[in-house]
């Protein structure tokens, strides 16, 4: 079970960290997503920082388990919010946020069952 926890947590940290980088460098895809969801572009760097903090928190959770659990829970809430934002504007492009949510839910579940 510990191996699954480590593998899933590392995958969650990598995918959320890569998403954070795209927001923080101002890549076109996150800008298009913000526009589609009718959110201000000034939110991009802030959302990137939230993702980066969650990603780092997952990794720090190996040394401080409660922090990893809280980070996973925060990322779950983040992606629930992302899906809600998609649904709010009538977007049905839910595969991406659903995959991120599933990975973060798995990381949270494994962290709690550790």
């Amino acid at each position: 079970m510990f191996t699954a926890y480590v593998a899933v947590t590392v995958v969650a940290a990598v995918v959320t960290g890569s998403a954070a980088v795209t927001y923080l460098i101002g890549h076109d895809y996150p800008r298009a997503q913000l526009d589609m969801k009718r959110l201000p572009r000034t939110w991009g760097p802030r959302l990137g920082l939230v993702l980066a903090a969650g990603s780092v928190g997952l990794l720090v959770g190996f040394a401080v388990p409660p922090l990893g659990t809280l980070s996973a829970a925060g990322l779950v809430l983040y992606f629930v919010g992302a899906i809600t934002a998609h649904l709010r504007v009538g977007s049905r492009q839910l595969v991406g946020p659903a995959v991120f949510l599933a990975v973060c839910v798995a990381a949270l579940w494994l962290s709690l069952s550790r």
Side-chain angles (χ1 to χ4, degrees):
M1 186 70 129
F2 181 74
T3 304
Y5 164 69
V6 170
V8 169
T9 301
V10 168
V11 167
V14 168
V15 296
T16 57
S18 65
V21 168
T22 63
Y23 273 96
L24 292 172
I25 67 171
H27 191 270
D28 289 338
Y29 181 75
R31 280 194 229 149
Q33 289 293 306
L34 290 169
D35 292 343
M36 182 263 302
K37 295 172 196 156
R38 296 190 302 260
L39 296 172
R41 285 191 176 185
T42 57
W43 285 21
R46 294 175 187 145
L47 293 172
L49 287 174
V50 170
L51 286 169
S55 181
V56 170
L58 287 174
L59 297 175
V60 171
F62 291 129
V64 184
L67 185 59
T69 302
L70 289 173
S71 295
L75 287 168
V76 166
L77 292 175
Y78 177 93
F79 288 110
V80 167
I83 289 172
T84 303
H86 275 271
L87 294 174
R88 180 180 62 89
V89 296
S91 170
R92 298 295 180 244
Q93 300 173 1
L94 301 175
V95 174
V99 169
F100 279 87
L101 176 62
V103 171
C104 292
V105 166
L108 176 60
W109 181 74
L110 288 166
S111 177
L112 289 171
S113 63
R114 200 173 91 138

